[in-house]
Amino acid sequence: MAILEVNNIHAYYGNIQALRGISVTVEEGEIVTLIGANGAGKTTTLRAISRLVNPREGSIQFDGEDLSQFKAHELVYKGVAMVPEGRGIFAKLTVGENLDMGAFSRDDSANIQEDLERVFDLFPRLKERRSQVAGTLSGGEQQMLATGRALMANPRLLLMDEPSMGLAPVLVESVFETIQRINKEGTTILLVEQNAMMAFQVANRGYVLQTGEIVLSDSVENLRQNEMVQKAYLGVE
């Protein structure tokens, strides 16, 4: 059963149309990736799902519920969390305070502590830096923190927007290993990523966006063999 169904959404920034009939499904337990060039509509799709952009047409359902009735912050209570592009950490708060903020929607203190230990198990560096001001972390550490903060909400669906952006290649490998581990531990993931090669290593299925439209959708195995995908996104001449 699809945990997320995005049906024919059209979204605008002012008079500029950013999405033109986007439809995406994510089955429970999957990693699904959206790939495309800058300006293709990947981030806008995530922003529409997370209620930061209101589509003018179409519908978005999570676990059978229409998300248009909820505000952005209410989605966390429904089981949707986002790791935003650019990380979006609270730079003046400590690492520990950022993680506490991730659990703002919860009142199950015992389980919160368990999830905090899970985050520290995933990212031992965060435990070492628990009292450090978040804005002084390296880019890779800030990405760990943004992901850890989202996991503190104990989401069923994790939206990830360009988690490898600006990171050194060795850190990119680590990020994608963590994405796989998070998924194997039970979290469904919708991943926006420009690094198609890495995204295809972890995802089950993918959608290719161009100028606000989906031009391809298939298993990652088939997308890897597609000539257009190879030339445009995988660097094959």
Side-chain angles (χ1 to χ4, degrees):
M1 175 183 171
I3 191 172
L4 177 71
E5 295 183 75
V6 178
N7 299 305
N8 194 36
I9 59 171
H10 295 252
Y12 294 75
Y13 293 110
N15 293 322
I16 299 172
Q17 187 168 6
L19 300 180
R20 305 169 184 273
I22 295 288
S23 295
V24 171
T25 61
V26 181
E27 302 288 330
E28 188 142 25
E30 281 191 308
I31 301 177
V32 173
T33 188
L34 308 181
I35 67 168
N38 281 335
K42 307 183 303 297
T43 292
T44 303
T45 301
L46 290 194
R47 288 173 63 84
I49 294 167
S50 57
R51 303 291 297 135
L52 297 171
V53 169
N54 294 322
R56 293 188 191 176
E57 299 177 45
S59 66
I60 301 171
Q61 292 192 325
F62 174 70
D63 203 21
E65 279 193 287
D66 182 0
L67 293 187
S68 65
Q69 61 186 306
F70 301 109
K71 296 178 180 177
H73 72 275
E74 293 174 326
L75 293 194
V76 182
Y77 294 89
K78 306 305 296 183
V80 181
M82 185 169 179
V83 182
E85 181 181 7
R87 291 129 201 175
I89 61 167
F90 300 106
K92 294 184 178 180
L93 299 182
T94 66
V95 167
E97 289 167 339
N98 269 268
L99 295 174
D100 289 343
M101 289 295 292
F104 80 92
S105 62
R106 303 173 60 183
D107 57 10
D108 52 335
S109 56
N111 292 328
I112 289 172
Q113 186 59 39
E114 285 184 13
D115 285 335
L116 182 61
E117 292 305 319
R118 176 192 175 206
V119 168
F120 287 154
D121 184 49
L122 280 169
F123 305 113
R125 187 70 60 87
L126 296 183
K127 188 170 186 177
E128 296 171 11
R129 315 229 168 186
R130 188 172 185 173
S131 300
Q132 185 170 329
V133 174
T136 65
L137 298 175
S138 69
E141 290 165 346
Q142 289 186 18
Q143 185 62 54
M144 294 175 195
L145 180 57
T147 305
R149 183 184 60 188
L151 291 175
M152 287 302 297
N154 193 26
R156 292 180 60 199
L157 174 65
L158 184 63
L159 309 175
M160 303 191 77
D161 194 356
E162 302 283 10
S164 74
M165 180 181 288
L167 299 183
V170 65
L171 291 176
V172 171
E173 292 277 356
S174 176
V175 164
F176 281 92
E177 286 172 5
T178 302
I179 289 170
Q180 282 187 301
R181 182 174 167 187
I182 291 168
N183 176 249
K184 286 176 180 176
E185 291 178 357
T187 304
T188 304
I189 297 173
L190 179 58
L191 170 68
V192 159
E193 183 55 58
Q194 278 193 304
N195 189 334
M197 192 173 297
M198 293 301 301
F200 285 173
Q201 286 185 24
V202 301
N204 305 102
R205 295 186 296 111
Y207 294 83
V208 181
L209 277 68
Q210 291 181 356
T211 59
E213 297 180 277
I214 291 172
V215 295
L216 280 173
S217 64
D218 211 328
S219 68
V220 293
E221 290 81 6
N222 290 338
L223 289 175
R224 279 197 196 98
Q225 303 305 316
N226 182 277
E227 185 175 353
M228 183 274 283
V229 172
Q230 289 180 347
K231 289 181 177 179
Y233 304 108
L234 298 179
V236 177
E237 296 297 331

